[in-house]
Amino acid sequence: MSAGGARGPLLLLALLCAGQPRAVVKRSVPDVCATCHIHATCHQIEGKSVCICNYGFVGNGRTHCQDKDECQIGATKICGNHTLCHNTHGSFYCVCLDGYRASNNNKTFIPNDGTNCTDIDECEESGLCGHNARCVNTEGSYKCYCIDGYKLENGEQSFHPDGNMVSCKEIRCGSPPEMKHGYTVGNYSLVPGSVVRYECEEGFYSEEGEFSICTANETWEPATLSCKGVDCGVPPSIINAHPASLSGTTYGSEVIYNCVHGYLIASGNQTAVCNAKGQWDGTDLVCKEIDCGKPLVIPHTEMVWDNSTTLWSRVYYQCREGYYFHGDRNFSECTIDQEWENITYVCKEEELFSNLSIFNETCVKWQRKTGRSGAQKTYTFHILGQRWDEKTFSEVATLNVTTSEDNPEVCLELNSGTNYLVNITTISSTNITVSVTVAVQTKVKEAFNNVLIFNDTCLKWRRNVRGADMEDRYSFHVQGRRWYQKEFFHEMTFNLTTYKRAPEVCFDLQPGTNYSVNISMVALNFSLLVSMTTQITVVIFVFFLDPPSPDVEFVKTKGSAPLLRLRKADDRNGPISFYQVIVLPLGLQSTFICDSFAAATFFSNTTDTEGYVAAEFRAKDVADNMSIALGDRHYYGKFYNAPLKLGKEYSVFLRIISEWNKVRTQSCAVWAQIKNLSPTLQYMTAVGLGSVAAVCLILFLSFSAARSYLDSTVHCPPAALACEAVHLSAATDMTQAGIASSFLENENVSPL
């Protein structure tokens, strides 16, 4: 049989062995047959659907069907004697061993077609035509042909041996063709008759042939496999849900579901995915209707409700009788969170008088809060009128007012210049009497007009008289205090009766004082409060009041700096603010001006200072009879108490400063004169003060945190003052013993 003649049965046999190709179709019925493996077929057995692997495959038919290797049985058992078995994906084929020829004269065969392998008579053929060739007799001659599966290298169909070696080359097909969206499965060879099986990639399917066969002309017969992408189609509908987004309908596409309005997710997935079988996976979303349950209970209310608890259902509230509504709104809604919305609805007890006030002198108005708009209410007014300046005057009246307004206003016919008590009563919805009393004061005109302060201590105003030749009596109560002198208090009271249209009154007030003046008009029971402040520099008898001159004990010394004692001044002319110690060259004493503030504020060794402030103390920190040592190298306030220079002569002043309302005054006194400072006593002074300085050092270190300039204006904390007291006491004792002490200019000597 020729190669062409054998090709048809071989192809048919391969297809029969591999089983019928299964077209991948979309199944929408969820039955057993839909779960069969791609290499399995669904059969009906005793009324039940069963998946059975195709011929050439073994497995459970559902989860796996793998290739059956028939060649494992043994070549001689399945193909016959003198054969070789070749396994393919889902099938197999047989070939004869070298030296044997298939009885069908083909290269390959299958055992069930009756083909067997017979011995080749090489004395008849091989010797003439060579290996892999056969001899065919012709008339008077013969020709040599290559056996099936072989061909001549020169492309001829036959040859005649002429002594030259002619070989038949095995026919091979090369690599099988690639398949778009497909791939080869199982084993295959490249010889004619070999079969290649294709499968589609995941997400693709084919309804056509899945095989390609190697032909004798060294080409692969084209496979009719065409892999198409699966399409899951329109996503399935879910009760009470709708697709919110869809990326496509092919393999791997996703659809996201949302619950419809008024429903929320109870269970399941919001996302479904198109699988490789063309079905949507994950469509198990369950949406349940929103239910808020019973609504909120608000005290003193009644509900108007249709018993609906679904989304945006509303329950309305109304106040019970005797209460009124107060809040932002009177209903609550069922929200998407399955909760009734919180509201600030409050039912307050009925108010028949709220925000009661007087206007236009004789009119009253109020708010009526009952919760029942338009309900009429009757109010009874009991009016009693009296006058302070007319003891015999009395007026009594009663009237009723019926109104349905929420903001009633009633104007009364009242006499001028009279004080009225108006009692208003009504009956509430619970039959309880409610009353309120209001005082109404009528005036002819304002009691005071254009009140002015002049000359610091005088007042004047315009009096609007109630009639011709009618006098008014005024009562004055004056109180004065000083913040800097807590014990100071000035008080006076007096009356004034006047006919004048523009009265004036002047008070005998103290300087540097804050006054409050209460003026009452007796006839109208009306009062006015006026605040007045007097300056330190009040003009009295054409001169200014300055602080009192410092009370000092004048000291005159030679060879040493004296220990000075400061006496506290009296605040009789105003507040004492500061005490300053001023050091000047003795020659400048006669030219010193007390109110000059041009003196140096800081001592420096590098300048020839003509005068400077050695120390400044706040008045509240000064104790009576306080001691001061010149030149102790300490800071007092922002000033440095510099050491005195040797051989110099000095004049020391004490200056008292008063500051009030941005006005500054001062007084000065000569405190001491120092002549002929001696350097010989300097060392003795330092040694004599050594023991005292040690005690002071201990105290100083104990309170160092308090003395580290916390207050730039405080010269020394209490502990440091104690140190100064020890230091000054020791200095005094040494002076009395005849040892003149002086803090002189020598950096080797420390004040401590």
Side-chain angles (χ1 to χ4, degrees):
M1 182 180 298
S2 66
R7 178 174 174 273
L10 182 61
L11 176 59
L12 178 63
L13 179 61
L15 293 175
L16 290 174
C17 292
Q20 292 296 325
R22 184 175 64 88
V24 179
V25 296
K26 294 182 289 184
R27 297 182 176 94
S28 59
V29 180
D31 57 11
V32 176
C33 294
T35 63
C36 291
H37 192 270
I38 192 172
H39 297 305
T41 304
C42 188
H43 298 273
Q44 297 293 325
I45 300 178
E46 297 181 356
K48 296 182 179 180
S49 298
V50 179
C51 297
I52 301 177
C53 292
N54 295 335
Y55 179 81
F57 295 89
V58 293
N60 59 12
R62 296 183 67 183
T63 59
H64 68 279
C65 287
Q66 63 185 24
D67 176 58
K68 177 181 179 182
D69 189 0
E70 294 84 356
C71 295
Q72 291 181 351
I73 301 175
T76 57
K77 292 183 180 181
I78 193 169
C79 293
N81 295 328
H82 313 296
T83 61
L84 288 176
C85 180
H86 292 276
N87 186 57
T88 62
H89 190 69
S91 184
F92 72 97
Y93 64 90
C94 303
V95 296
C96 294
L97 296 175
D98 291 342
Y100 292 87
R101 178 187 300 126
S103 60
N104 62 359
N105 292 324
N106 291 329
K107 180 66 175 179
T108 62
F109 64 91
I110 54 177
N112 58 358
D113 64 352
T115 303
N116 55 22
C117 294
T118 59
D119 181 53
I120 298 175
D121 187 1
E122 295 86 1
C123 298
E124 177 182 350
E125 295 184 7
S126 298
L128 296 174
C129 298
H131 195 56
N132 295 328
R134 57 188 177 83
C135 182
V136 176
N137 292 323
T138 60
E139 182 178 357
S141 180
Y142 65 93
K143 288 185 177 179
C144 295
Y145 295 89
C146 292
I147 63 176
D148 291 341
Y150 291 85
K151 68 176 182 178
L152 291 172
E153 292 182 356
N154 57 10
E156 297 292 335
Q157 294 295 323
S158 62
F159 67 93
H160 188 279
D162 55 359
N164 296 323
M165 282 297 294
V166 178
S167 61
C168 290
K169 179 181 177 182
E170 186 178 18
I171 298 172
R172 299 179 66 87
C173 285
S175 298
E178 293 184 356
M179 189 66 63
K180 185 177 182 180
H181 301 303
Y183 60 94
T184 60
V185 294
N187 298 322
Y188 61 89
S189 67
L190 303 179
V191 298
S194 179
V195 178
V196 172
R197 179 177 175 80
Y198 292 92
E199 287 187 1
C200 293
E201 296 175 352
E202 190 173 25
F204 293 84
Y205 72 96
S206 176
E207 297 177 348
E208 299 175 331
E210 302 173 351
F211 299 95
S212 179
I213 301 175
C214 177
T215 63
N217 59 0
E218 298 184 291
T219 60
W220 289 96
E221 188 177 73
T224 58
L225 180 70
S226 177
C227 294
K228 301 177 181 178
V230 299
D231 192 327
C232 291
V234 178
S237 61
I238 297 178
I239 298 176
N240 299 322
H242 63 87
S245 64
L246 178 64
S247 63
T249 59
T250 58
Y251 173 68
S253 296
E254 294 183 350
V255 57
I256 299 177
Y257 291 90
N258 283 341
C259 294
V260 297
H261 186 69
Y263 289 77
L264 51 78
I265 297 175
S267 62
N269 298 314
Q270 283 185 265
T271 303
V273 181
C274 178
N275 63 22
K277 292 185 178 181
Q279 299 172 343
W280 291 101
D281 287 339
T283 55
D284 56 352
L285 180 65
V286 176
C287 296
K288 71 173 184 178
E289 190 173 15
I290 292 176
D291 190 342
C292 288
K294 293 182 178 180
L296 305 172
V297 176
I298 299 177
H300 311 303
T301 62
E302 296 176 349
M303 288 191 297
V304 178
W305 181 39
D306 61 0
N307 294 321
S308 175
T309 59
T310 58
L311 182 65
W312 307 133
S313 296
R314 283 189 178 184
V315 55
Y316 289 86
Y317 297 90
Q318 62 184 19
C319 294
R320 295 176 181 172
E321 186 176 3
Y323 295 87
Y324 71 94
F325 165 71
H326 178 77
D328 55 356
R329 58 183 178 181
N330 65 338
F331 64 88
S332 176
E333 289 184 333
C334 176
T335 67
I336 198 170
D337 298 324
Q338 290 200 110
E339 294 180 352
W340 288 100
E341 185 179 22
N342 287 328
I343 59 174
T344 58
Y345 188 90
V346 177
C347 286
K348 290 188 175 182
E349 192 171 1
E350 185 177 53
E351 295 181 14
L352 299 180
F353 295 103
S354 178
N355 296 328
L356 180 65
S357 62
I358 302 172
F359 68 100
N360 292 343
E361 193 173 351
T362 63
C363 300
V364 293
K365 62 181 179 180
W366 66 95
Q367 288 182 335
R368 188 176 69 103
K369 301 179 179 178
T370 63
R372 300 184 305 281
S373 179
Q376 287 192 337
K377 182 67 64 175
T378 299
Y379 295 86
T380 301
F381 288 73
H382 298 276
I383 305 170
L384 173 62
Q386 292 180 327
R387 292 178 180 174
W388 291 96
D389 54 347
E390 296 181 40
K391 302 299 183 182
T392 59
F393 179 86
S394 179
E395 181 182 354
V396 179
T398 301
L399 62 95
N400 292 327
V401 175
T402 302
T403 179
S404 60
E405 296 180 0
D406 292 334
N407 298 283
E409 295 182 358
V410 176
C411 290
L412 305 174
E413 294 182 2
L414 303 179
N415 292 315
S416 62
T418 307
N419 294 322
Y420 288 92
L421 291 178
V422 181
N423 182 266
I424 313 171
T425 61
T426 188
I427 304 298
S428 71
S429 58
T430 55
N431 294 322
I432 297 176
T433 300
V434 182
S435 65
V436 63
T437 301
V438 60
V440 180
Q441 185 182 53
T442 62
K443 307 180 184 68
V444 177
K445 293 183 179 179
E446 291 292 334
F448 297 94
N449 192 17
N450 296 331
V451 179
L452 298 174
I453 301 173
F454 66 100
N455 293 341
D456 283 344
T457 61
C458 299
L459 285 177
K460 64 180 178 180
W461 65 95
R462 180 173 294 277
R463 185 176 74 93
N464 294 305
V465 296
R466 293 178 289 167
D469 300 326
M470 180 174 286
E471 67 178 11
D472 280 325
R473 185 163 60 93
Y474 297 89
S475 176
F476 292 84
H477 185 194
V478 183
Q479 290 182 323
R481 296 183 182 275
R482 292 173 176 171
W483 63 266
Y484 56 89
Q485 191 177 0
K486 302 301 182 184
E487 67 279 5
F488 178 87
F489 181 68
H490 183 207
E491 184 178 23
M492 54 184 171
T493 60
F494 62 92
N495 296 325
L496 173 66
T497 301
T498 180
Y499 292 91
K500 294 181 179 180
R501 287 183 175 270
E504 295 183 3
V505 60
C506 291
F507 308 101
D508 185 12
L509 305 181
Q510 297 293 324
T513 308
N514 292 324
Y515 283 94
S516 62
V517 181
N518 186 278
I519 314 171
S520 300
M521 189 174 183
V522 180
L524 298 181
N525 193 22
F526 181 81
S527 297
L528 177 69
L529 184 64
V530 179
S531 296
M532 304 176 68
T533 300
T534 59
Q535 303 296 327
I536 298 174
T537 54
V538 178
V539 178
I540 301 178
F541 306 115
V542 201
F543 66 89
F544 297 117
L545 292 179
D546 291 334
S549 297
D551 183 10
V552 298
E553 180 180 352
F554 177 73
V555 177
K556 190 172 183 180
T557 182
K558 291 183 179 182
S560 64
L563 182 66
L564 304 177
R565 295 190 182 276
L566 186 151
R567 295 189 182 96
K568 196 167 185 179
D570 186 11
D571 286 336
R572 63 178 181 270
N573 289 345
I576 304 298
S577 304
F578 301 102
Y579 291 79
Q580 286 185 348
V581 180
I582 301 174
V583 178
L584 292 174
L586 185 59
L588 298 179
Q589 176 178 321
S590 61
T591 61
F592 175 70
I593 301 175
C594 185
D595 59 359
S596 172
F597 291 90
T601 59
F602 185 83
F603 179 82
S604 173
N605 286 328
T606 61
T607 61
D608 185 14
T609 305
E610 291 299 321
Y612 59 92
V613 178
E616 182 180 82
F617 307 94
R618 292 194 303 180
K620 68 176 183 177
D621 298 326
V622 173
D624 197 20
N625 204 22
M626 186 175 73
S627 299
I628 300 173
L630 292 176
D632 64 359
R633 291 185 172 88
H634 291 170
Y635 281 90
Y636 297 95
K638 61 182 178 180
F639 301 99
Y640 178 55
N641 191 5
L644 304 180
K645 295 185 178 181
L646 299 178
K648 296 287 186 179
E649 294 182 342
Y650 293 95
S651 178
V652 182
F653 285 83
L654 178 63
R655 177 160 59 191
I656 299 177
I657 301 173
S658 293
E659 289 183 342
W660 176 254
N661 285 350
K662 299 182 180 179
V663 176
R664 182 168 180 156
T665 61
Q666 54 280 323
S667 297
C668 297
V670 179
W671 202 352
Q673 289 181 352
I674 306 170
K675 295 182 179 181
N676 301 324
L677 283 176
S678 175
T680 59
L681 297 177
Q682 180 177 351
Y683 178 75
M684 295 174 61
T685 301
V687 174
L689 294 178
S691 60
V692 178
V695 175
C696 292
L697 179 60
I698 295 173
L699 293 175
F700 176 77
L701 294 176
S702 301
F703 297 92
S704 59
R707 192 173 177 174
S708 59
Y709 302 105
L710 293 177
D711 186 349
S712 63
T713 64
V714 178
H715 72 285
C716 184
L721 285 175
C723 176
E724 290 298 330
V726 175
H727 172 73
L728 295 172
S729 177
T732 303
D733 293 341
M734 293 173 65
T735 303
Q736 292 175 354
I739 302 175
S741 63
S742 174
F743 293 94
L744 303 178
E745 183 183 12
N746 191 325
E747 297 303 324
N748 295 323
V749 179
S750 171
L752 297 179

